[in-house]
Amino acid sequence: MELPSDKNQLRRHFKAVRAGLLEGERRAIDAAIAGNVAGLPEFAEADGVFTYLSFGAEVDTRILIECAWTVGKAVALPRVVPGTRQMRWYAVDSLDCLERSSFGVEEPPADPAREVTPRDFHTPVALVPGLAFDREGYRLGYGGGFYDTFLPTFPGTSMGLCRAAQLADHLPHEDYDMPVDEVVTEHGLRE
């Protein structure tokens, strides 16, 4: 099937694809994605996991967050800096103290004592959201540019979490768009 070339049309298309998956189907797919991520050496060796907290119908990250905590990894969640395309990251050891942002996303409190950067870790990994990814690692995000700002300076391995139904052969991208290192679906790894 030929995809639209306009990013806004693509967003509508992939939101519809995502919405077309039944909740039980999404849960099973997301559990398989989590299992595939957890089985990767990059995740197993990571000492810091920089991850989004899934929202709505995004690929669920809660399983991977719990997995990381169980084996003693540090987990950091982002907090958007208002009026910018920047995110600050805060170490969390519970999801109980989160605050709802103006976007409706749960974020960690802006506690300077808990703020971390990827450079604080030897082998960080980033779990990256997207409406869709392509086989080269380019992503179709929500248009905020937060991960396009974050990824160029991220020193570890970045992984896009993607259901196979949302994996495209090619997505349009600009010079400022940054691909992830790996795309992980329920079928495994697409490097």
Side-chain angles (χ1 to χ4, degrees), residues 26-27 30-31 33-34 37 43 49-69 75-78 95 98 105-106 126-130 147 159-163:
R26 268 199 325 260
R27 273 198 307 269
D30 294 356
I33 292 170
V37 169
F43 187 83
V49 179
F50 289 72
T51 182
Y52 68 100
L53 181 62
S54 48
F55 174 74
E58 290 179 325
V59 173
D60 189 3
T61 55
R62 285 166 176 80
I63 298 168
L64 287 164
I65 290 169
E66 292 288 340
C67 174
W69 283 334
V75 173
L77 295 177
L95 300 179
L98 303 179
V105 176
E106 290 182 294
L127 305 181
V128 181
Y147 282 89
M159 298 180 185
L161 306 187
C162 181
R163 298 180 188 109

Side-chain angles (χ1 to χ4, degrees), residues 14-165:
F14 282 110
K15 281 181 182 178
V17 167
R18 184 173 71 180
L21 296 171
L22 300 173
E23 186 177 337
E25 185 180 13
R26 268 199 325 260
R27 273 198 307 269
I29 290 169
D30 294 356
I33 292 170
N36 289 335
V37 169
L40 291 172
E42 296 89 342
F43 187 83
E45 295 164 11
D47 56 349
V49 179
F50 289 72
T51 182
Y52 68 100
L53 181 62
S54 48
F55 174 74
E58 290 179 325
V59 173
D60 189 3
T61 55
R62 285 166 176 80
I63 298 168
L64 287 164
I65 290 169
E66 292 288 340
C67 174
W69 283 334
T70 299
V71 295
K73 298 179 188 304
V75 173
L77 295 177
R79 183 178 180 94
V80 169
V81 178
T84 73
R85 292 176 183 255
Q86 303 286 325
M87 297 181 291
R88 290 212 169 115
W89 294 86
Y90 296 88
V92 294
D93 48 26
S94 167
L95 300 179
D96 295 335
C97 63
L98 303 179
E99 304 169 348
R100 193 157 306 275
S101 75
S102 59
F103 296 111
V105 176
E106 290 182 294
E107 297 180 325
D111 178 357
R114 310 276 306 166
E115 189 170 358
V116 295
T117 71
R119 300 215 182 276
D120 295 333
F121 299 89
H122 295 290
T123 53
V125 67
L127 305 181
V128 181
L131 279 169
F133 288 87
D134 71 14
R135 295 180 188 282
E136 299 172 62
Y138 287 99
R139 61 186 281 279
L140 178 67
Y142 300 98
F146 297 104
Y147 282 89
D148 292 323
T149 302
F150 170 70
L151 287 173
T153 61
F154 184 72
T157 302
S158 57
M159 298 180 185
L161 306 187
C162 181
R163 298 180 188 109

